[in-house]
Amino acid sequence: MAKEWTEMTPEEKRDVRLKRWLDAENVQFVSPEAKETYQARVKRIIDVIKMEQPDRIPLNQAPGAFPAVYHGGTLKEMMYDFSKLNRYFVDFYKIFEMDFAMAPSAWPGKLFEILDFKLMQWPGHGVPDTGTFFQYVEGVYMKQEEYPEFINNTYDFFIRKILPRIAGTLEPLQYMAQFNPSFFVPVGFVAPFGRPDVQNTFAELAKAAAVFYEWAGVIGQTVGQIYSMGNPTWGNSLTLTAYDMIADFLRGTQGIMTDMYRCPDTLIEAIEKFIPMTIELGMSNKDTDICPVIFIPLHKGADTWMSNKQFEKFYWPCLKKMMMGLYEEGYIPFPLAEASYNNRLEIIADVPKGSVMWWFEDVDMKRAKEIVGRQTSIAGGIPTSLLKAGSKSEIESTVKQLVKDCGKDGGFMMSVAASVEQAIPENLHHLMNAVKQYGNY
């Protein structure tokens, strides 16, 4: 008799999710060969996750805007013409081989325009039309003295305070009635809907929603086509740490840095408030995303952001609790340690064996294997600059060194440090060929 989900161990739950990913029962593969290729790639990644030895080391990449650039297009085109987003990414996967790659990442520009979104700049809006990435705009969108209000009534605070500050179209939401028990007698609650500006806000939200559903439909179609050709992808499901959410979207870097000194206990209380939300966000696509790998970009935990003592007090607890919350539900947290984590390796190794797959942008990979790799699988090692300025022989030399330093006994996935927008196309082929040539066990 099968166990109930609540009675399963994290490892048993993970095996259920990994089998669903491997079987891909609802994927309509273009050929039997595509299905065979897909399952070989997924099996290779599963072996790495379980810290077992696969047939060879797999390769992970984040294409970013490269599919558009390769075809002479731009990220801006993909953000506004979703048919090009589909065509560029599908063609990319027909031409370039890899084991694991990020799902399409091009937000809907028209939606941002409708909302007058202030948290991001994108091509044509603060970034040149030919720009290949987005620029997030930090600011103090929540004052330090507003922490208690945020902690005590989080959703109300977001709707009536934060949304009006980060999106011009949503400014009239500040006139909405407060979320409190008076909703049970909704007399005063309906009054703001009589305001013309509030009515206009909801009309604009309906327009934004129409753009969203068009974009989401194309993303779903594109991911389905990518799978059908035999390519497992990650990035459809992601989350952030509680610390980064507060820093990125509420307080800004300077604000949260001063909070660590001026109101540390209040900051920690706010972080604790956010942790369940970060776990829920990571699992939000559980019904549609068969890949159980949850991407977690780490924005402000690097060596240069704070001391190890501060990291252990403010950053690591919420990151670990979030990752363990995902792990306990059978998911594989996939944190990208942006910038240097050389001073953090001993700290971040403190997780259950095989529970996480760490992706490093800029660390000593040999040390990472020796310290973190004893406890969890690791990924990384390929600088993006190598794909822009490196030669074939330099790529092969880097791959061979990584195989020597990190490949022993499995548990390692070779990964490019960041997205590859500026890569020379031939170097992507050279990299895959080198991994296939030198990464076999």
Side-chain angles (χ1 to χ4, degrees):
M1 183 176 177
K3 281 186 178 180
E4 293 291 335
W5 184 260
T6 55
E7 296 174 348
M8 291 183 182
T9 66
E11 291 77 14
E12 289 171 334
K13 292 178 180 179
R14 181 181 65 178
D15 285 343
V16 171
R17 296 193 189 280
L18 290 175
K19 185 178 186 303
R20 180 190 178 210
W21 188 28
L22 180 64
D23 292 346
E25 292 180 351
N26 293 324
V27 175
Q28 300 297 315
F29 290 98
V30 296
S31 68
E33 292 77 18
K35 182 176 182 178
E36 183 179 346
T37 297
Y38 169 86
Q39 292 186 324
R41 287 169 172 165
V42 172
K43 177 63 167 60
R44 197 169 291 139
I45 300 161
I46 289 174
D47 287 342
V48 170
I49 290 167
K50 292 188 172 184
M51 301 181 68
E52 297 172 357
Q53 187 170 287
D55 59 339
R56 70 161 169 81
I57 294 170
L59 174 66
N60 165 57
Q61 292 190 34
F66 178 88
V69 175
Y70 177 75
H71 286 88
T74 64
L75 172 61
K76 182 179 180 180
E77 281 184 329
M78 294 196 294
M79 293 181 69
Y80 287 89
D81 185 343
F82 304 146
S83 64
K84 289 186 176 179
L85 183 157
N86 174 267
R87 178 165 62 86
Y88 290 156
F89 268 91
V90 171
D91 286 351
F92 168 78
Y93 280 95
K94 290 178 180 177
I95 298 168
F96 296 93
E97 183 183 358
M98 64 207 71
D99 296 295
F100 202 29
M102 190 174 187
S105 54
W107 300 110
K110 186 63 178 178
L111 185 152
F112 293 161
E113 288 183 2
I114 293 171
L115 296 181
D116 186 19
F117 191 52
K118 300 175 182 178
L119 279 181
M120 184 185 292
Q121 294 178 335
W122 63 97
H125 290 264
V127 173
D129 285 354
T130 56
T132 57
F133 215 73
F134 320 100
Q135 178 62 55
Y136 291 93
V137 181
E138 287 190 1
V140 179
Y141 300 105
M142 181 183 78
K143 301 173 184 177
Q144 189 178 90
E145 58 268 25
E146 291 180 315
Y147 267 117
E149 185 179 356
F150 159 72
I151 292 168
N152 293 328
N153 201 345
T154 305
Y155 291 103
D156 177 78
F157 185 80
F158 263 94
I159 290 174
R160 298 193 307 114
K161 297 291 181 68
I162 297 301
L163 290 181
R165 295 171 185 174
I166 66 173
T169 302
L170 305 183
E171 286 182 6
L173 292 182
Q174 65 185 296
Y175 303 115
M176 295 293 292
Q178 186 176 7
F179 285 11
N180 60 37
S182 68
F183 275 4
F184 294 110
V185 183
V187 177
F189 166 68
V190 301
F193 292 94
R195 295 178 59 102
D197 53 355
V198 171
Q199 293 172 352
N200 180 69
T201 290
F202 280 91
E204 293 300 303
L205 281 171
K207 295 178 184 177
V211 176
F212 167 80
Y213 281 111
E214 179 188 359
W215 169 80
V218 173
I219 291 291
Q221 175 192 357
T222 305
V223 171
Q225 290 177 271
I226 292 169
Y227 266 91
S228 73
M229 294 186 293
N231 300 286
T233 65
W234 57 268
N236 295 299
S237 297
L238 59 84
T239 188
L240 296 173
T241 70
Y243 184 98
D244 285 340
M245 280 189 171
I246 295 171
D248 292 352
F249 307 128
L250 297 178
R251 296 288 293 136
T253 300
Q254 183 177 351
I256 201 166
M257 289 294 181
T258 58
D259 294 344
M260 291 195 298
Y261 291 94
R262 294 177 180 174
C263 55
D265 294 339
T266 302
L267 173 58
I268 290 173
E269 186 178 0
I271 289 172
E272 289 291 326
K273 181 79 174 184
F274 253 116
I275 291 173
M277 302 179 206
T278 65
I279 298 171
E280 291 171 8
L281 177 61
M283 299 190 298
S284 59
N285 291 331
K286 61 184 178 182
D287 294 330
T288 57
D289 187 6
I290 63 173
C291 176
V293 177
I294 310 298
F295 179 46
I296 311 169
L298 305 180
H299 295 160
K300 293 180 170 62
D303 294 338
T304 52
W305 284 105
M306 61 183 78
S307 68
N308 271 358
K309 184 177 179 181
Q310 290 171 322
F311 182 82
E312 290 181 287
K313 181 175 182 179
F314 295 102
Y315 203 92
W316 177 239
C318 67
L319 171 56
K320 184 177 180 180
K321 288 178 182 178
M322 182 253 288
M323 292 195 301
M324 292 305 96
L326 295 171
Y327 163 68
E328 288 166 7
E329 286 300 313
Y331 292 98
I332 299 91
F334 189 32
L336 170 57
E338 298 184 8
S340 172
Y341 266 65
N342 285 308
N343 297 334
R344 313 281 198 230
L345 297 179
E346 288 82 1
I347 300 171
I348 65 176
D350 181 24
V351 294
K353 193 172 183 67
S355 59
V356 177
M357 181 162 59
W358 275 97
W359 179 10
F360 296 107
E361 178 183 357
D362 181 23
V363 302
D364 181 332
M365 290 301 295
K366 185 176 181 179
R367 282 191 69 236
K369 176 68 174 181
E370 293 169 351
I371 298 170
V372 181
R374 288 200 307 264
Q375 200 66 10
T376 73
S377 55
I378 64 171
I382 304 294
T384 51
S385 58
L386 184 68
L387 300 178
K388 172 64 176 177
S391 64
K392 178 181 178 181
S393 61
E394 289 172 327
I395 291 171
E396 290 179 343
S397 177
T398 299
V399 167
K400 286 190 282 187
Q401 188 64 49
L402 282 168
V403 171
K404 178 181 177 181
D405 292 342
C406 304
K408 185 179 178 181
D409 300 324
F412 172 62
M413 179 165 62
M414 204 163 294
S415 296
V416 180
S419 52
V420 298
E421 286 90 359
Q422 304 300 322
I424 296 173
E426 290 77 9
N427 280 346
L428 295 183
H429 293 302
H430 293 327
L431 176 59
M432 186 72 249
N433 291 337
V435 173
K436 291 169 73 174
Q437 181 176 356
Y438 301 110
N440 291 299
Y441 285 99

